[in-house]
Amino acid sequence: MDIYKKKEQATMLARHLFLIAISIVVIFPVFYVISISFNPLGAIGSDFIPDKFSLTHWKYILGLPYIEGESTVTNFPIIRWLFNSLKISFLTSLLVLFLSTTSAYALSRFKFRGRKTSLLVLMIVQMFPSIMALVAFYLILTFIGKYFPWLGTDTHWGLILVYLGGTPFNIWLIKGYFETIPASMEEAAIIDGCSRWQAFYKILLPLSVPILAVVGLLTFIGTFADFIVPSVLLKSQDQLTFAVGIQLFISESFSNRWGQFAAASILGALPIMLVFFSIHRYIISGLSAGGVKE
Amino acid sequence: MGKLLIAIFDAVLIWFVWMAISYGEFVVASLTLVILITFNVIFLKESAYPFRYMFPGLICFFLFLVLPIIFTIYVAFTNLGTGHLLSDVDVKNILLNERSLGEGSELYKADIGESKGQKYIILKLLESESVVALVPFFFDRKMVIDATVIPNNDVEKFLLDNQISLLPKGEIFKLGESLRNIEIKLPDSTVLTSNGRATYAKFLSRFVNDENGNLKEVSSGEVFFPNYQTGFFASKTEQLSPGFRTTVGFSNFWRLFKDTKIAKPFAKVFTWTFVWALCTVCLTFVSGLFLAITINNKGMRFKPLYRILLIVPYSIPFFISVLIFKGLLNKDFGIVNQLVAPLIGGTNVPWLEHPTFAKISCLLVNLWLGFPYMLLVLTGILQAIPEDIYEAARLDGASKWITLKKITMPYVMSAVGPLLVGSFAFNFNNFVGIYLLTGGLPPMDNVTTPAGETDILISYTYRLAFEGGQGQDFGLASAIAILIFIIIAIITLLNFKFSGVFDNEVKK
């Protein structure tokens, strides 16, 4: 018994050592970037532990005077880009959530003609590489912009419109989750006098918060992280999203702006990480419930 | 209440159709009409009830996914791209507008003045005299204006008398294009025309319409016919730029297989795309599964801590991580080489420059980006396995290894099919993972298209379509997009056929 326990302890120790080692390798780039952002040198190959500590890169990206005793500030509206991205991602995920939840409800709770075809079409169309529809997106938005300038190219609402096509995958996810919830509760509510619509948003939706959070979050992150569509559709510097702006910022001069880029990366990644970790539990339960069949 | 909303929505749509017709946008009008009819059928017919929930989703799905896809398919059968952007009618108009300076004629710069909404064009013809033409405020109709000639000395007085103020240069430049419409007739009945750059001269058209609607060159009498195979106006000896867009049948697809300059790199890119997607899925899945099982152990301490640490990469937007890795892997200054070089004798590894190393780098970076997702989902699946099965196995004396082999793995494998296929499809088109790290580089040897060693189909296509250099080829790019689509569609449908997931879905 004692030997057995010792063996068990040894394997447990091995497991911990292994996981610690892996964690260090995985986390290393993150800490390195944090270190770079406080390193006044901020060169591409700076040491892991800086000799000096300075906030100059942070002042730079926040639009504050960053050179001691001078009042120069950067020309790059980095904070504005971040705000643009957050705004676009938030609105997109709200709208996508609305569009895909209602569709998923119909597909999971009704038997009707056209259901099979709808599912098949959704499934097939989502496989199309949307990057390649960029030319079409651009031409469609240019056309719309002729009559509604606030919806054309180089506008945030136009960009959001393009993202609204990206619902099929979310419909599948939400539909999978709805089907794990027994329909009997809604049926009972309807017998008690609820309308179909009330049963949907008063009974089913509150029960589906995990998957709604996951879909909303994934859409938010996906929109925030996308730079191909906005890089084609947005032009003026003040309109850019964080992804496009920071891309522009670093690609112009990779080695000279390494420190500022590090600080900006942290700033841009922070809101996403915060949202992500505040509800990452739902991701586990939400994704697996959608994927695992009973 | 519901009826009222329907009525309001109908009214808005009808107004929209009306506006579209009045602007001459008949495609939009008929599209809106279709939406209007669909809307009313769905919301008034009781048997279409389920579609009421799908209506908003369906409309967006159709307008912003289906329509662009149809357009892309159409483009794959055209020559749309640099030099072939406009329709034949537009190109013809451009050619008809091509003007050359008549013999012995001079260019006169136009000043534009304004007074009480009326515009004046002022040209200085000679040292001694100028011409003033009074033009209507609107520039959108073709017209010939009679001009008055006044001595240069009197121009200033003329301006003052009529309270004309000259427009700034920028304004004049903006009006330049519309000046094409205004021709100025001098007292000796020579007509001056504008070339669209706020200059006037005795311009001659290079081409005129001949009786069959073809272009005839005025100076040589040569006739240019539109050639709908090549997309150019051409005579027997010469073709005119720009070309126009035209349907070219399957020629974009043939080029992928027959044109050796395109086919050879395409085959290489094609192979690497499969290798890349397969390797990425395997690497991320195996490492994700291994970590998930290691952490998900009864009696394991700090489970949440490990999980959180290990999913950090997934929580950072990919474009940021990839750009950071590009810096870390820099050959001369990157921290990776600073750590690695001393171990292997001081040579810097060309992580992103050497064909093989670049491929390895892509895979490793993508492993870092991708395994947390697998870890996350697999943890969910592992936690969904009922604990009492393990309890029963333990009571029956099964070892850890046996329970892993007989319970955990079958359960996991039965659930991960769609996950793996989804991951494969994602990485097959993982643009950011390649393009932001290597840009598809290093370039392949002995090829003329912009193909790189690490290019996957999607990045290769993107570079064909949107990166300048050799001009953009939307037609070819769309053809590849359709091929990608077909490949992904076949793989996914096969998977669903074998796993039976879709049958279950649609039979219910």
Side-chain angles (χ1 to χ4, degrees):
Chain A
M1 197 61 196
D2 208 29
I3 296 170
Y4 180 75
K5 223 177 178 177
K6 266 200 174 141
K7 200 183 153 201
E8 183 76 341
Q9 274 174 346
T11 39
M12 198 54 96
L13 186 68
R15 276 192 203 115
H16 279 292
L17 287 178
F18 170 73
L19 287 174
I20 289 167
I22 292 284
S23 303
I24 288 174
V25 173
V26 165
I27 292 297
F28 170 76
V30 179
F31 280 106
Y32 185 59
V33 167
I34 295 173
S35 138
I36 294 272
S37 79
F38 293 110
N39 187 334
L41 271 175
I44 205 163
S46 302
D47 290 335
F48 187 70
I49 297 158
D51 301 332
K52 279 188 203 138
F53 175 89
S54 110
L55 286 173
T56 159
H57 302 316
W58 284 92
K59 285 180 185 158
Y60 179 94
I61 60 158
L62 292 172
L64 304 168
Y66 57 95
I67 303 170
E68 200 76 37
E70 286 179 42
S71 61
T72 15
V73 295
T74 170
N75 298 323
F76 293 97
I78 295 175
I79 294 297
R80 199 194 167 103
W81 293 337
L82 187 62
F83 175 74
N84 287 346
S85 271
L86 293 175
K87 178 184 109 186
I88 292 169
S89 310
F90 180 71
L91 292 170
T92 303
S93 43
L94 271 192
L95 289 168
V96 163
L97 213 50
F98 169 70
L99 295 175
S100 39
T101 311
T102 48
S103 300
Y105 179 65
L107 288 169
S108 72
R109 287 295 192 261
F110 296 101
K111 294 187 181 68
F112 56 94
R113 259 178 58 198
R115 177 176 178 272
K116 192 174 170 176
T117 326
S118 310
L119 283 172
L120 201 72
V121 170
L122 284 182
M123 165 70 61
I124 291 176
V125 166
Q126 82 175 42
M127 295 171 224
F128 195 86
S130 59
I131 293 177
M132 298 326 304
L134 273 181
V135 184
F137 289 146
Y138 186 81
L139 293 177
I140 290 176
L141 282 197
T142 312
F143 177 81
I144 297 178
K146 256 194 339 195
Y147 298 106
F148 304 97
W150 54 278
L151 264 182
T153 52
D154 206 15
T155 68
H156 293 163
W157 279 108
L159 182 63
I160 293 173
L161 269 192
V162 169
Y163 285 133
L164 293 189
T167 50
F169 179 67
N170 298 324
I171 294 179
W172 274 94
L173 268 183
I174 298 175
K175 176 181 158 294
Y177 193 89
F178 279 173
E179 281 167 2
T180 64
I181 299 173
S184 49
M185 262 188 282
E186 293 149 67
E187 279 153 19
I190 290 171
I191 291 170
D192 286 351
C194 265
S195 71
R196 263 274 173 200
W197 173 252
Q198 282 172 329
F200 166 59
Y201 80 88
K202 283 193 176 157
I203 310 277
L204 187 60
L205 283 192
L207 288 173
S208 313
V209 167
I211 193 67
L212 298 184
V214 168
V215 168
L217 167 75
L218 290 182
T219 312
F220 188 88
I221 292 177
T223 314
F224 188 93
D226 183 38
F227 85 95
I228 305 161
V229 180
S231 76
V232 173
L233 295 182
L234 302 178
K235 287 281 163 282
S236 40
Q237 179 160 295
D238 279 350
Q239 291 284 91
L240 297 184
T241 62
F242 186 74
V244 181
I246 209 72
Q247 169 78 7
L248 192 88
F249 177 74
I250 189 72
S251 64
E252 271 178 13
S253 169
F254 207 94
S255 41
N256 293 340
R257 296 185 181 150
W258 187 234
Q260 292 92 324
F261 171 70
S265 295
I266 298 167
L267 190 74
L270 265 184
I272 297 289
M273 291 178 78
L274 280 181
V275 181
F276 181 88
F277 279 111
S278 63
I279 46 180
H280 85 283
R281 270 166 217 285
Y282 284 134
I283 294 200
I284 298 181
S285 53
L287 279 181
S288 52
V292 182
K293 289 275 124 201
E294 295 290 324
Chain B
M1 180 64 192
K3 290 270 190 290
L4 184 69
L5 284 177
I6 296 176
I8 291 172
F9 196 71
D10 274 350
V12 171
L13 280 186
I14 291 170
W15 172 80
F16 199 85
V17 174
W18 183 254
M19 291 307 283
I21 292 176
S22 68
Y23 277 109
E25 304 287 3
F26 297 111
V27 180
V28 178
S30 34
L31 256 168
T32 319
L33 207 61
V34 171
I35 294 177
L36 178 69
I37 293 169
T38 323
F39 171 74
N40 280 291
V41 168
I42 288 177
F43 277 85
L44 294 175
K45 227 177 124 191
E46 208 46 50
S47 67
Y49 184 82
F51 283 105
R52 290 180 199 177
Y53 291 89
M54 291 177 65
F55 182 73
L58 277 181
I59 294 292
C60 289
F61 173 70
F62 180 77
L63 287 182
F64 300 107
L65 205 55
V66 177
L67 213 62
I69 288 176
I70 293 173
F71 182 81
T72 307
I73 295 174
Y74 160 74
V75 170
F77 293 94
T78 68
N79 61 354
L80 189 67
T82 307
H84 295 274
L85 286 170
L86 300 170
S87 71
D88 50 350
V89 180
D90 290 340
V91 169
K92 195 172 172 186
N93 281 331
I94 287 177
L95 292 171
L96 282 174
N97 267 328
E98 220 171 86
R99 302 267 164 79
S100 54
L101 209 53
E103 234 168 276
S105 175
E106 275 180 69
L107 283 171
Y108 309 115
K109 269 186 68 191
D111 276 321
I112 299 180
E114 192 182 24
S115 165
K116 297 172 197 134
Q118 194 57 262
K119 293 243 178 6
Y120 294 79
I121 297 177
I122 300 128
L123 303 172
K124 192 174 161 198
L125 280 192
L126 297 169
E127 283 299 311
S128 57
E129 58 180 29
S130 286
V131 149
V132 174
L134 181 70
V135 288
F137 185 71
F138 297 108
F139 287 99
D140 53 356
R141 272 165 297 158
K142 280 215 181 281
M143 51 176 53
V144 184
I145 308 286
D146 287 311
T148 11
V149 177
I150 47 174
N152 265 349
N153 294 339
D154 294 351
V155 170
E156 214 135 292
K157 187 167 174 290
F158 176 84
L159 294 181
L160 270 178
D161 287 351
N162 293 286
Q163 295 176 329
I164 303 170
S165 50
L166 289 179
L167 296 180
K169 282 272 177 283
E171 293 281 313
I172 297 174
F173 190 76
K174 269 187 224 157
L175 289 169
E177 192 54 39
S178 32
L179 282 183
R180 272 182 192 284
N181 287 330
I182 314 293
E183 304 187 341
I184 298 177
K185 195 173 174 191
L186 300 181
D188 63 353
S189 78
T190 43
V191 175
L192 297 180
T193 51
S194 171
N195 62 353
R197 281 181 219 102
T199 28
Y200 272 84
K202 263 187 273 177
F203 281 114
L204 298 174
S205 287
R206 187 176 161 203
F207 301 101
V208 289
N209 257 322
D210 77 355
E211 56 277 15
N212 301 318
N214 296 313
L215 291 173
K216 190 164 137 190
E217 194 168 30
V218 178
S219 57
S220 64
E222 210 169 355
V223 180
F224 291 80
F225 302 94
N227 181 334
Y228 287 97
Q229 259 85 55
T230 59
F232 283 104
F233 281 96
S235 68
K236 288 190 187 69
T237 51
E238 195 189 346
Q239 60 183 20
L240 304 171
S241 285
F244 52 87
R245 60 165 189 263
T246 173
T247 48
V248 292
F250 281 91
S251 96
N252 286 322
F253 293 90
W254 296 142
R255 278 161 73 200
L256 284 179
F257 300 104
K258 287 190 179 152
D259 185 339
T260 43
K261 280 182 203 163
I262 295 173
K264 249 176 78 185
F266 178 70
K268 269 180 101 172
V269 169
F270 195 84
T271 322
W272 164 239
T273 309
F274 272 92
V275 173
W276 148 262
L278 266 179
C279 288
T280 303
V281 173
C282 292
L283 285 172
T284 51
F285 176 69
V286 169
S287 45
L289 183 62
F290 191 71
L291 289 170
I293 292 177
T294 314
I295 296 175
N296 201 47
N297 236 302
K298 229 186 153 195
M300 186 80 184
R301 298 181 70 192
F302 311 121
K303 272 188 201 179
L305 180 68
Y306 286 129
R307 276 193 197 121
I308 285 181
L309 281 180
L310 290 175
I311 56 178
V312 161
Y314 188 58
S315 68
I316 302 169
F318 282 6
F319 68 91
I320 291 179
S321 320
V322 174
L323 284 171
I324 288 171
F325 269 105
K326 190 176 179 174
L328 300 186
L329 291 171
N330 185 290
K331 185 184 162 203
D332 300 315
F333 311 108
I335 185 87
V336 174
N337 267 347
Q338 287 188 19
L339 295 174
V340 168
L343 302 176
I344 55 168
T347 40
N348 284 339
V349 183
W351 289 110
L352 302 172
E353 290 82 7
H354 183 272
T356 314
F357 280 115
K359 283 175 181 166
I360 294 174
S361 304
C362 286
L363 285 172
L364 286 181
V365 170
N366 218 43
L367 172 63
W368 190 87
L369 295 173
F371 86 87
Y373 173 73
M374 293 287 183
L375 171 65
L376 211 56
V377 181
L378 289 169
T379 302
I381 293 175
L382 288 179
Q383 288 176 341
I385 305 177
E387 192 57 39
D388 43 357
I389 302 183
Y390 288 111
E391 209 60 52
R394 197 157 36 240
L395 287 177
D396 285 350
S399 71
K400 284 225 148 173
W401 175 244
I402 295 287
T403 44
L404 179 69
K405 215 168 84 174
K406 296 281 182 187
I407 300 172
T408 313
M409 286 310 285
Y411 201 95
V412 168
M413 292 322 260
S414 74
V416 292
L419 176 72
L420 293 185
V421 174
S423 171
F424 182 86
F426 173 80
N427 283 298
F428 199 87
N429 287 332
N430 189 347
F431 181 83
V432 172
I434 294 284
Y435 189 80
L436 288 192
L437 189 65
T438 64
L441 301 173
M444 284 185 194
D445 290 334
N446 304 323
V447 291
T448 47
T449 48
E453 292 282 348
T454 55
D455 257 327
I456 56 174
L457 281 173
I458 197 85
S459 63
Y460 179 51
T461 315
Y462 179 88
R463 289 171 61 187
L464 274 179
F466 300 108
E467 263 185 13
Q470 290 157 332
Q472 306 175 318
D473 195 339
F474 296 132
L476 187 66
S478 300
I480 303 180
I482 289 172
L483 281 186
I484 297 175
F485 171 62
I486 293 172
I487 294 167
I488 297 285
I490 289 175
I491 293 169
T492 314
L493 290 179
L494 273 183
N495 171 65
F496 282 122
K497 186 131 188 101
F498 285 126
S499 66
V501 169
F502 196 67
D503 286 346
N504 291 340
E505 288 295 328
V506 290
K507 263 181 203 148
K508 261 185 223 157

